[in-house]
Amino acid sequence: MFLTATTGAAGGGSMIFMLVLMIAVFYFFMIRPENKKKKEAAEMRNALKAGDNITTIGGVIGDIVSVKDDTIVIETSSDKVRVEFTKWAVSTNNTADKAAAKAKEAALAAKKAAKKEKK
């Protein structure tokens, strides 16, 4: 009878440990990356400026004409159609993405050139 009481107490401790471990796994694999993505999206939206080419969450593509506190005005075509959106509706900043891709490409080319010089 003494053994079953001790085993039950140890089982409860390991159950609590497993629960804490499961919460930690959820935090590091689900909650933390999601918060990081939200923070990066907010930074991207706050860094928008006139002249940037953007895509909205609805798929509208255009160039930013003016930026206000919570809204932006974009020109969507060569007909000079202007539409006002809230900043949270911006999905991607195509101008920044293209610049980042060019920088990454240049760094890769420089790395390849450095490898050729070593040989």
Side-chain angles (χ1 to χ4, degrees), residues 42-81:
E43 288 174 0
M44 181 268 301
R45 289 179 181 127
N46 288 331
L48 293 173
K49 60 187 180 300
D52 285 348
N53 184 280
I54 59 145
T55 303
T56 66
I57 57 175
V60 179
I61 299 173
D63 296 322
I64 297 176
V65 176
S66 69
V67 179
K68 299 175 186 169
D69 288 339
D70 294 330
T71 61
I72 58 168
V73 177
I74 67 170
E75 234 172 52
T76 59
S77 66
S78 61
D79 294 339
K80 306 289 184 191
V81 176

